[in-house]
Amino acid sequence: MSRNASAPNAAPLRRIIVIGAGAVGAATALNLRRKGFETTIIDAQAPGHGCSFGNAGAISPGSVAPIALPGMFQQVPKWLIDPLGPLFVRWRYLPRAAPWLMKWVAASRMAAVDRASEGLKPLVGTSFDEYENLLGASAFQTLFRRQGQLYVWESDKPSRSEAVGHQLRARHGVEFHWLRPEEIRQYEPGLAPIFARGLFLPNNGQTIQPLSLVEAIVEQYLTEGGTLERGSVADIQPHDDGTVTVQLEDGRSIDAAGAVLAAGAWSARIAKRLGVRIPLETERGYHVMLPHDAALVRRPIMHADRGFIVSPMSDGMRVAGTVEIAGVDAPPDYKRAQSLLHHARNMFPDLRGDESSVWMGCRPSLPDSIPVIGRCPTAPSVVFAFGHGHLGITGAAMTGRLVSEIINDEPTAIDIAPYRPERFTGG
Ligand SMILES: Cc1cc2nc3c(=O)[nH]c(=O)nc-3n(C[C@H](O)[C@H](O)[C@H](O)COP(=O)(O)OP(=O)(O)OC[C@H]3O[C@@H](n4cnc5c(N)ncnc54)[C@H](O)[C@@H]3O)c2cc1C
């Protein structure tokens, strides 16, 4: 199926190339295959080895608040000087990140927050059902748990941004219950008695292993006749007849009727070659895996003051989170993963914390916390599907469905106007 770029273009009418085999690309490819498209996924790595590998696995239909919220920026100076804090900017990278950070600040205005929240709700609200449709009941039951999520705070006074988050949840009818300190430990007996406030979200939950989730989707896709190729995409060339040629770094090229750009934090580089500038930055995050400590935690627990999640995974306790602004190319700084271990020790008095392994991943983040899902403004045969930030595992299944509906020229399950790439490019 791959051939030299110099050969005549003979793209079959229904061949679609999906660039990226993370959660978003995998879900997209399976949906396309089910609509009868001849689909090929191309990824430089094995499926699920980008950001989809090491995240906290939280599935959060109730996450209707964007990251940038009013009042958040008063807290930023305090975070930046704390070496173990939830946000870190590598100073040498600051000049490159500054335009994105300014857009992030602008996105914290209430009007922008309301818009983002309207976009998030339908994208994440049915995520469990979307995954069950994609994988079938048996695989769904193996990979997912719907046991709720717990948010905990050591601080006893809510911040302004936190209050806005609660308002948004209430407005969108997200069910939640406040917990007193003694109730927190009824839900999670392994926790130290250090938390002043707790919030239980009964309709949230988790996947017990994000890598297995992506692998299961890809396996199903291959079973249903999709194909997968290893390679790094350098460019997409659109042609006048509406077809595209996907160019690989190794010189191969593939002709197709269309392409989906689902390359996570690396997508903006390819979009730029198509003449479209999307303000995609990476909020790098870390995890530490503790293989002997899974029994200490029953469900994902968000330490809301410090911005990380502790999840029981199939292979141990995973402590994952924090934001580091340093670009996609900088080497990891695993001191940040060690800081997660330090915080986990404070949270769980009985933590063994040994034989740990660490990981860094690049969240693909847009300033307004909602992805771009829609046709490329300069090349309509290319569909963008990236920028899911902190909610890519939660939002991948609905995204895949939407992209397949866009490509199949049919009405979409939800209104896709909030995700239009043109919100950044004008028009
Ligand atoms: C610490 C941490 C915790 C998180 N916790 C959660 C959570 O609890 N719940 C949640 O919903 N989300 C969470 N997230 C966010 C979530 O992990 C991401 O939003 C999601 O994985 C993004 O998926 P993706 O498919 O867009 O990108 P990726 O998984 O990064 O996939 C992109 C793929 O594209 C490939 N690629 C890139 N460039 C090219 C190229 N040129 N050619 C070919 N292939 C290419 C990469 O190899 C990669 O496999 C977390 C993230 C982090 C870092």
Side-chain angles (χ1 to χ4, degrees):
M1 63 172 315
S2 307
R3 64 177 181 74
N4 193 283
S6 57
N9 196 319
L13 271 178
R14 288 181 75 80
R15 177 188 290 167
I16 304 291
I17 308 297
V18 177
I19 303 165
V24 174
T28 299
L30 180 50
N31 274 286
L32 282 168
R33 187 65 208 129
R34 286 187 178 160
K35 291 197 186 294
F37 289 95
E38 187 192 318
T39 311
T40 298
I41 307 178
I42 302 178
D43 199 304
Q45 312 183 73
H49 280 71
C51 194
S52 299
F53 179 88
N55 55 76
I59 303 292
S60 311
S63 274
V64 294
I67 298 298
L69 288 169
M72 182 168 270
F73 299 98
Q74 280 92 308
Q75 302 189 59
V76 167
K78 178 184 76 185
W79 290 339
L80 290 178
I81 54 172
D82 177 358
L84 304 184
L87 172 67
F88 182 78
V89 179
R90 282 209 199 162
W91 296 112
R92 248 182 299 162
Y93 188 72
L94 184 58
R96 282 188 61 192
W100 186 89
L101 289 168
M102 276 150 65
K103 289 189 172 70
W104 197 50
V105 173
S108 72
R109 294 196 192 109
M110 207 51 221
V113 166
D114 284 339
R115 269 198 309 277
S117 185
E118 294 299 326
L120 283 173
K121 174 75 200 328
L123 189 69
V124 301
T126 56
S127 39
F128 282 114
D129 299 337
E130 292 296 326
Y131 275 119
E132 188 160 5
N133 288 340
L134 208 54
L135 288 165
S138 163
F140 177 81
Q141 275 157 25
T142 307
L143 287 162
F144 291 89
R145 300 282 179 271
R146 304 181 79 154
Q147 74 290 56
Q149 288 171 11
L150 186 62
Y151 281 41
V152 288
W153 288 266
E154 291 184 56
S155 58
D156 51 10
K157 262 216 314 258
S159 65
R160 183 165 165 231
S161 51
E162 198 190 310
V164 174
H166 302 323
Q167 278 166 22
L168 294 172
R169 277 189 276 274
R171 188 192 302 164
H172 287 292
V174 175
E175 195 180 333
F176 59 86
H177 315 293
W178 286 105
L179 304 181
R180 290 190 300 273
E182 60 278 15
E183 292 171 319
I184 294 174
R185 293 178 69 219
Q186 283 162 17
Y187 279 74
E188 291 290 340
L191 281 176
I194 56 173
F195 295 103
R197 295 175 296 132
L199 185 76
F200 181 61
L201 293 130
N203 297 320
N204 282 1
Q206 70 171 120
T207 169
I208 55 163
Q209 186 47 261
L211 174 62
S212 306
L213 169 61
V214 177
E215 287 175 343
I217 300 171
V218 172
E219 210 176 294
Q220 187 60 35
Y221 158 81
L222 295 173
T223 304
E224 295 185 25
T227 57
L228 172 69
E229 288 212 14
R230 189 70 81 89
S232 183
V233 170
D235 198 2
I236 308 172
Q237 289 158 359
H239 303 294
D240 290 343
D241 63 357
T243 63
V244 297
T245 300
V246 175
Q247 208 89 51
L248 275 68
E249 302 278 1
D250 61 13
R252 283 179 295 157
S253 67
I254 307 173
D255 298 327
V260 179
L261 183 52
W266 298 268
S267 302
R269 290 176 179 173
I270 298 174
K272 196 171 156 197
R273 295 193 64 91
L274 291 161
V276 180
R277 284 179 185 272
I278 302 289
L280 185 74
E281 184 47 83
T282 176
E283 294 177 80
R284 294 147 52 108
Y286 290 80
H287 87 208
V288 57
M289 275 306 297
L290 306 169
H292 306 297
D293 290 304
L296 289 176
V297 56
R298 294 177 174 173
R299 55 175 66 76
I301 306 175
M302 162 70 108
H303 190 310
D305 298 310
R306 296 203 167 272
F308 67 87
I309 300 179
V310 182
S311 293
M313 292 278 168
S314 56
D315 53 349
M317 175 194 279
R318 179 169 293 176
V319 189
T322 82
V323 169
E324 180 188 48
I325 306 288
V328 284
D329 298 320
D333 173 3
Y334 287 119
K335 284 203 296 291
R336 301 204 50 82
Q338 294 308 326
S339 82
L340 290 170
L341 179 56
H342 168 88
H343 294 315
R345 285 194 194 286
N346 290 338
M347 275 177 91
F348 297 95
D350 295 331
L351 195 87
R352 276 178 57 176
D354 54 357
E355 290 178 34
S356 61
S357 58
V358 293
W359 169 86
M360 186 280 287
C362 291
R363 289 186 193 90
S365 297
L366 291 160
D368 56 6
S369 300
I370 42 178
V372 286
I373 304 169
R375 292 191 184 276
C376 168
T378 57
S381 311
V382 179
V383 176
F384 290 167
F386 57 85
H388 293 69
H390 294 242
L391 287 170
I393 300 301
T394 305
M398 175 57 94
T399 302
R401 177 175 174 182
L402 295 174
V403 173
S404 69
E405 290 165 344
I406 293 168
I407 290 177
N408 208 29
D409 281 326
E410 61 182 278
T412 49
I414 59 171
D415 179 13
I416 55 169
Y419 323 113
R420 295 167 71 238
E422 289 84 353
R423 73 185 192 274
F424 295 115
T425 60

